[in-house]
Amino acid sequence: MLVIHTTLMYLHIALGAIALLLFWLPIIARKGSKLHINAGKIFYTLMLLVSASGIIMSLIGLSDPVGIYINNQQLTGEQIARLMYWRIPFSYFLLLLSLLTWVTVRHAIGVLRAKANRHLLRRWHYQGPVLLMVPSAIFVGWQGIRIGMPLLIIFAVVSLMSAITITLYVYRSSVAPRAWIIEHFSSMVGAGIAVYTAFFAAGGRRVLSQWLPGEWQMVSWLAAPVIGIIILATLTGYYKRKYKVKPDSALQ
């Protein structure tokens, strides 16, 4: 299992690094252009692979945390217990983050394919992962409260709100014309927030620890959500005006 976990980790890192850079290309490219469409398709595929490998790695780590994270290190029982105290909840967090990434990036493409026909998004295999995020987010939030790790609490709330938002969009009796454009954009940004958070919270924290030691690492962990929210707040209104996304009553 260690060999599988290590192989997936290197694949996860390599694809994630490409996705970190490629994320910005569909955002800055002219919407509907060939560059926007092709870059978006590649980003979508990469994110599915990244999130799938993240889910598998997290499950492997949770099934044998000592074998995966301790391996042959010479640690005392007390040291192992202290490491597992935060390592296991953190693995649950990474599992939730991978699920959030899968759900958001799949929803971003799903709304493009369905557009006004939201019945296509109500199939059980589409809604299953979305609904799974609800108990997962509650559990991870409880773990964050138990060990006093704000990052887990924050992303439990983010995941819960994402699941609720997607479900409301899918099952609402009516939505504004061309609302799928905003749903596509916001979901893509949400996937970007997830991949950047994973970078800063997992691999990137080792690099940043020399500049942001101790509790200051929270700054890097929260950077992606804060920047993502600013992007959403700034550009959502612009795209609503550009593509005339208005409530039905306003159009009438």
Side-chain angles (χ1 to χ4, degrees), residues 4 16 34 46 87 92 115 148 179 191 217-218 224 235 245-246:
I4 297 175
K34 188 174 181 179
L46 286 174
R87 179 69 253 188
Y92 280 120
K115 294 187 177 178
Q217 286 198 24
M218 283 293 297
L235 296 182
V245 181
K246 299 178 181 179

Side-chain angles (χ1 to χ4, degrees), residues 10-191:
Y10 285 120
L11 176 66
H12 184 85
I13 292 171
L15 296 179
I18 298 172
L20 285 171
L21 300 175
L22 189 62
F23 165 71
W24 297 101
L25 196 52
I27 291 181
I28 63 177
R30 183 173 60 84
K31 303 302 174 281
S33 65
K34 188 174 181 179
L35 176 61
H36 173 84
I37 294 172
N38 290 336
K41 287 180 178 179
I42 297 173
F43 178 76
Y44 167 70
T45 302
L46 286 174
M47 291 303 291
L48 289 182
L49 293 173
V50 167
S51 56
S53 59
I55 290 172
I56 296 171
M57 284 193 300
S58 298
L59 292 175
I60 292 175
L62 288 168
S63 66
D64 184 17
V66 175
I68 298 298
Y69 301 118
I70 304 297
N71 198 9
N72 293 322
Q73 298 181 62
Q74 299 301 316
L75 299 178
T76 65
E78 184 180 352
Q79 288 174 322
I80 292 175
R82 281 203 305 266
L83 179 61
M84 292 297 105
Y85 180 75
W86 69 267
R87 179 69 253 188
I88 292 177
F90 194 73
S91 295
Y92 280 120
F93 158 72
L94 293 178
L95 178 60
L96 176 63
L97 190 59
S98 299
L99 180 60
L100 174 64
T101 305
W102 175 280
V103 167
T104 51
V105 76
R106 189 193 59 159
H107 186 62
I109 300 302
V111 296
L112 279 184
R113 293 170 177 169
K115 294 187 177 178
N117 186 15
R118 289 178 295 127
H119 290 281
L120 296 176
L121 307 177
R122 297 174 183 174
R123 292 172 290 187
W124 68 268
H125 61 82
Y126 188 90
Q127 281 299 303
V130 179
L131 298 177
L132 182 60
M133 280 208 300
V134 176
S136 302
I138 294 172
F139 178 76
V140 169
W142 173 74
Q143 290 285 329
I145 294 171
R146 185 178 65 86
I147 66 173
M149 189 177 287
L151 179 66
L152 275 63
I153 302 170
I154 291 170
F155 266 87
V157 174
V158 170
S159 299
L160 190 60
M161 294 304 298
S162 297
I164 293 172
T165 301
I166 291 173
T167 303
L168 287 176
Y169 174 82
V170 171
Y171 287 102
R172 190 176 296 153
S173 59
S174 63
V175 295
R178 294 174 295 279
W180 56 268
I181 297 175
I182 305 302
E183 196 73 9
H184 166 72
F185 165 73
S186 60
S187 295
M188 274 297 192
V189 173

